[in-house]
Structure formats: C-alpha cells, structure tokens
DNA sequence: CGAGAAATTGACTTTTACGTAAGAACCGTG
DNA sequence: CACGGTTCTTACGTAAAAGTCAATTTCTCG
C-alpha cells in the first residue's frame, strides 16, 4: 500500500483531468495533504475519488455526491445526529434502488431489441 | 388505451415541464404528431418518454439516450445493418452493466455506513 | 547548473439540459 | 364575443461540471 499518489498518477488511473481533481477539491469532496504547494493523495483520498466517480457514473450531481460522502464519514457521537444520519442513508438507498430499477428496465428493453435483431437475421438465414 | 395525450398530461404524469418535452423533440428524441400546431402524443411517444427519463435517471446524456433510442427502433432489413445494430446494443449493455456494478458498490458502502451507525447507537444503549 | 517535466493558481470559456419570459394563436364556455 | 386556459414559437438566461489558457514555480536528473 502506497503512502501517497501524485495528481497525475490519479488522473491516469481514473482517466480524469487534473482540473477535475482540483474541482472536486474546491467543492470540498477531497482534501489531499500538501508538501509545499503540491498535492499528495493518500490511499483514503484515492478511495474517495473512486467513490466520487462511481457516484458520477450513475448520475448523481456533485451536491448529491457530497451528501453521500457525508454519510461515509465516521459516525458522529450524538444520538440525534446518528438517527439523522441513518435517515439520510435510507434516503440515498431508495434513490439507488429506483435507479437500479430504471437500469434493469433499460437492460430488458435492450435485450428485447437484441432478440428482434437475432430473429430477423435468422429469417435471413444468418446464424449468429 | 388512449389514442393521444396532450403535452400537459404527460408533464403531469412524468413530473417534467413542457419545455423538457419540446427540448427532447428538438433533439430528435420524440416526434409527436400534430393537429394544427398542437402536439399530440401517441402511446408510443409516451412510452418513449418513459424510456428517455429512465436513461436520464441513470446518468446518460441526451446524446447517449439518442443512441439507445436508435437501437429500440424496428430492426432494419439489411444484414450489415442488423449486425451493426447488434454490436451497438452490446456496447450499451456493457455500459449499463458497468453502471450496475458502480451502483451495487455504492449501495454496499451505504450499508456499511448504516451498520456503523446502528452499532454506535447500540453502544449508546439505543435499540433501533 | 540548466532544461524540461510536472505542478500550481486564476481567469475565462464551453457544453449540457433545461428555465423563463414575451407575444401570439386557438378553443370551448358562459 | 370576450374570457380564461392551453398551446405555440422564439429567444435569451443559467447552473453544473468541467475544459482551456496563461503565467509561475518547483522538481529532477543528466
């Protein structure tokens, strides 16, 4: 396990630009440490980036990703805070389950389209 | 099964604005028929809208949704075209499977966060 | 030590996906 | 026929998420 990653190492690993990483930092999503002015990304930062990109991939906005990141953080000490956190988590889970349904439905439609193509090809005497 | 839906009927059903529906039309995603200048949405248009919104929900851009819609269309008659279509479908399926992995991973992280909260509450003597 | 590579900040620009507002047409109803 | 409601087109506005460019600075290594 590496101690630190440079900004370009992460851009290469994740296929994003330095601008994107700095943008996420401006938005308060990640906080790499500094040596002088240079950013050093810890494994935890790297992991966070991965999570951010996953969120982005499934259509969450930066604001929503920020909310999700909030709940990834260590649970707070106070009971009220903990319960609030639980309800936020539950909200996000519902969002994700809805997205999952939408995704499965889309996959099904694609399968239907696929089958129609295969059948049409069979009619034309082509074996797939 | 209704013959036609008005634009506001669809906006209410899907919770979107008229602007959004006209925008999708400008983008060539839907083509409702007209009576005079007024748009009339057929059941097939309505179904397409549903698909568009599903695509949007899971983070596809208009351009990507357009591509997906292309493959929903009736399969073409020519063999080369059919094979091309099959390969496009397969591409989209892979995109979606990646998104599904991202989604499942995010759901798992949320579950972990949830458990941490529940445990912390238990330590504090709170029964969830 | 000097040159090139890599990193920084800051400012301006672009793309996407609509929002919003203006002005006009159409349609049924009292 | 005047009205309120719905719809239309056209056009400008905008927030989000970066892209791009310029001017510096800092590392590194031959």
């Amino acid at each position: 396990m590496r101690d630190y990653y440079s900004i370009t190492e992460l851009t290469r690993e994740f296929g994003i630009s330095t601008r994107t990483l700095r943008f996420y930092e401006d938005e308060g999503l990640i906080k790499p440490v500094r040596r002088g002015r240079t950013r050093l990304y810890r494994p935890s930062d790297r992991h966070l980036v991965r999570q951010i990109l996953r969120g982005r991939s499934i259509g969450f906005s930066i604001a929503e990703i920020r909310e999700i990141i909030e709940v990834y953080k260590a649970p707070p000490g106070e009971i009220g805070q903990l319960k609030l956190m639980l309800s936020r988590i539950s909200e996000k889970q519902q969002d994700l389950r809805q997205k999952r349904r939408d995704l499965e439905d889309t996959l099904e439609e694609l399968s239907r389209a696929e089958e129609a193509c295969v059948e049409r090809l069979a009619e034309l005497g082509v074996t797939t």
Side-chain angles (χ1 to χ4, degrees), chain A residues 2 4-18 21 30 32 39-50 53:
Chain A
R2 300 271 308 274
Y4 296 114
Y5 303 85
S6 75
I7 193 166
T8 27
E9 277 176 323
L10 291 192
T11 63
R12 290 201 184 115
E13 175 172 4
F14 294 116
I16 56 179
S17 70
T18 58
L21 280 172
I30 42 178
R39 291 165 175 82
L40 296 176
Y41 295 83
R42 292 155 293 188
S44 66
D45 294 315
R46 175 162 164 271
H47 184 233
L48 203 43
V49 170
R50 202 198 310 280
L53 295 178

Side-chain angles (χ1 to χ4, degrees), chain A residues 59-78:
Chain A
F60 282 116
S61 70
I62 298 296
E64 288 169 317
I65 291 172
R66 200 194 336 268
E67 285 176 37
I68 294 177
I69 283 178
E70 287 297 311
V71 311
Y72 284 153
K73 288 186 183 165
E78 202 235 308

Side-chain angles (χ1 to χ4, degrees), chain A residues 13-123:
Chain A
E13 175 172 4
F14 294 116
I16 56 179
S17 70
T18 58
R19 179 69 179 84
T20 299
L21 280 172
R22 294 194 192 107
F23 174 68
Y24 291 158
E25 188 176 341
D26 285 348
E27 292 294 312
L29 301 183
I30 42 178
K31 290 194 179 42
V33 298
R34 302 272 182 141
R35 184 176 48 205
R37 317 206 309 172
T38 301
R39 291 165 175 82
L40 296 176
Y41 295 83
R42 292 155 293 188
S44 66
D45 294 315
R46 175 162 164 271
H47 184 233
L48 203 43
V49 170
R50 202 198 310 280
Q51 291 178 168
I52 292 168
L53 295 178
R54 280 206 285 255
R56 184 179 74 164
S57 151
I58 53 184
F60 282 116
S61 70
I62 298 296
E64 288 169 317
I65 291 172
R66 200 194 336 268
E67 285 176 37
I68 294 177
I69 283 178
E70 287 297 311
V71 311
Y72 284 153
K73 288 186 183 165
E78 202 235 308
I79 293 181
Q81 293 283 317
L82 279 164
K83 290 192 170 174
L84 178 61
M85 193 158 166
L86 273 177
S87 84
R88 287 214 189 112
I89 290 176
S90 158
E91 236 176 78
K92 292 298 154 192
Q93 286 174 332
Q94 301 214 4
D95 285 4
L96 280 165
R97 292 199 189 101
Q98 179 57 55
K99 276 183 196 293
R100 184 163 56 185
R101 279 191 292 277
D102 289 336
L103 201 156
E104 299 291 356
D105 289 346
T106 305
L107 269 173
E108 263 192 51
E109 300 256 16
L110 283 179
S111 287
R112 271 200 283 281
E114 187 177 29
E115 252 193 75
C117 283
V118 171
E119 272 179 35
R120 190 79 190 83
L121 276 173
E123 284 171 29

